[in-house]
């Protein structure tokens, strides 16, 4: 007798009459009653977020949706200019650029903070204690020749406007947890270690906030990509009207200089 095949999932399934998602009837229980951000959290965490968690989570998605003509947006636009019949390819091109310099910092920062916290014997209770932990972590990163994720920004040299707003929202919802506290302490202590003052960037604070929501740090880049997908779709909608991707290509092509001796 042939072995019966089984592919277990707690996400969803469907039959001729009904679609089930997260144990709910999609049409009757979710559509028009659950926001997309709330659903995205629920799908990953396996639990429905509280209203406060939903507010913080959706603030993160908004914060990461777009940041102008970043490499991810340019890649999407130029790909669309080359293949306008393949919207999915242009969107994918933009998302594939999410790495250590753009978007990936969200996960990198969350992982870094989570690792520092994991090594603590006791959780600090005062700003002074948090500062001691933060300073030690920054020193260890510097000694190892590594950057501190979440520090610095190519545009916002003094303050990333997203950072204090997201911290304020988390505080208002009672969700300013250990990751955000440590991140803030890094902001206070790093100048003495590095000899210069860098802003706490928006991608980093988003990683800290998501980690405080209890979301798995290994999945945080996915949320950054989810948010940026909306921004890229906006760029592509604009690209249909402006054809900037072609202009970007022409500008580079017309100003390219052939240098045969380049290493």
């Amino acid at each position: 007798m042939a072995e019966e095949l089984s592919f277990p999932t707690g996400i969803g399934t469907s039959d001729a009459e009904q679609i089930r998602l997260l144990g709910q009837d999609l049409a009757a229980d979710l559509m028009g009653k659950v926001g997309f951000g709330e659903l995205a959290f629920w799908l990953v965490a396996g639990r429905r977020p509280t209203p406060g968690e939903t507010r913080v989570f959706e603030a993160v998605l908004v914060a990461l949706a777009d940041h102008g003509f970043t490499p991810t947006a340019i890649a999407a636009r130029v790909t669309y200019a080359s293949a306008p019949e393949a919207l999915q390819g242009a969107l994918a091109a933009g998302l594939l650029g999410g790495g250590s310099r753009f978007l990936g910092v969200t996960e990198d920062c969350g992982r870094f903070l989570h690792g520092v916290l994991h090594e603590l014997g006791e959780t600090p209770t005062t700003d002074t204690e948090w500062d001691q932990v933060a300073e030690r972590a920054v020193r260890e990163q510097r000694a190892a020749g590594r950057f501190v994720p979440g520090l610095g920004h190519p545009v916002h040299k003094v303050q990333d406007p997203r950072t204090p707003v997201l911290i304020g929202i988390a505080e208002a919802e009672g969700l300013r947890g250990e990751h955000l506290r440590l991140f803030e302490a890094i902001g206070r202590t790093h100048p003495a270690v590095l000899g210069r003052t860098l802003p706490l960037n928006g991608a980093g604070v988003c990683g800290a906030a998501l980690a405080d929501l209890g979301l798995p740090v290994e999945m945080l880049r996915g949320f950054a990509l989810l948010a940026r997908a909306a921004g890229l779709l906006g760029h592509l909608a604009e690209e249909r009207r402006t054809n900037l991707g072609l202009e970007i290509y022409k500008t580079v092509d017309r100003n390219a200089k052939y240098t045969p001796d380049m290493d």
Side-chain angles (χ1 to χ4, degrees):
M1 183 175 179
E3 181 181 353
E4 183 178 350
L5 296 177
S6 176
F7 303 95
T9 176
I11 302 297
T13 188
S14 63
D15 56 33
E17 289 80 32
Q18 187 184 57
I19 301 171
R20 302 288 297 179
L21 182 63
L22 298 168
Q24 310 292 312
D25 184 308
L26 176 69
D29 301 328
L30 299 179
M31 292 175 62
K33 300 175 183 177
V34 175
F36 181 70
E38 182 180 1
L39 181 64
F41 185 109
W42 195 347
L43 281 164
V44 176
R47 63 176 180 83
R48 189 168 186 172
T50 66
E53 289 174 327
T54 300
R55 185 180 178 219
V56 172
F57 182 73
E58 293 190 342
V60 167
L61 296 183
V62 171
L64 296 174
D66 183 64
H67 212 288
F69 280 104
T70 60
T72 58
I74 293 171
R77 283 179 178 261
V78 173
T79 302
Y80 187 76
S82 178
E85 73 283 358
L87 179 70
Q88 72 277 12
L91 189 60
L95 294 177
L96 288 171
S100 59
R101 294 185 178 178
F102 291 88
L103 296 177
V105 177
T106 297
E107 180 176 310
D108 295 342
C109 186
R111 281 177 175 266
F112 170 67
L113 298 172
H114 195 71
V116 173
L117 292 169
H118 181 72
E119 296 298 323
L120 293 181
E122 295 183 3
T123 302
T125 58
T126 67
D127 283 348
T128 298
E129 291 174 345
W130 279 113
D131 287 356
Q132 291 170 350
V133 172
E135 182 176 344
R136 183 169 63 251
V138 174
R139 289 191 184 280
E140 289 176 355
Q141 286 290 100
R142 186 183 188 188
R146 296 189 294 262
F147 292 110
V148 178
L151 275 182
H153 195 278
V155 177
H156 309 300
K157 299 301 185 182
V158 177
Q159 183 183 67
D160 189 318
R162 298 169 294 181
T163 300
V165 173
L166 187 55
I167 292 172
I169 292 172
E171 175 70 25
E173 298 298 337
L175 294 168
R176 179 170 159 253
E178 297 177 359
H179 297 85
L180 279 171
R181 293 290 299 275
L182 177 57
F183 192 58
E184 292 175 79
I186 288 173
R188 293 191 297 268
T189 59
H190 79 270
V193 180
L194 303 182
R196 57 178 176 152
T197 301
L198 299 169
L200 295 172
N201 63 50
V205 76
C206 286
L210 291 173
D212 274 344
L213 294 178
L215 295 165
V217 293
E218 300 83 4
M219 299 292 292
L220 300 190
R221 186 174 303 192
F223 295 118
L225 294 172
L226 175 66
R228 188 54 57 91
L232 291 174
L233 197 57
H235 276 277
L236 294 174
E238 185 178 77
E239 183 63 29
R240 294 181 67 249
R241 303 188 297 270
T242 63
N243 293 317
L244 276 176
L246 284 175
E247 292 303 314
I248 293 170
Y249 150 67
K250 291 176 182 177
T251 299
V252 174
D253 184 63
R254 291 167 183 170
N255 290 279
K257 292 180 173 59
Y258 176 58
T259 309
D261 295 329
M262 285 187 65
D263 292 332

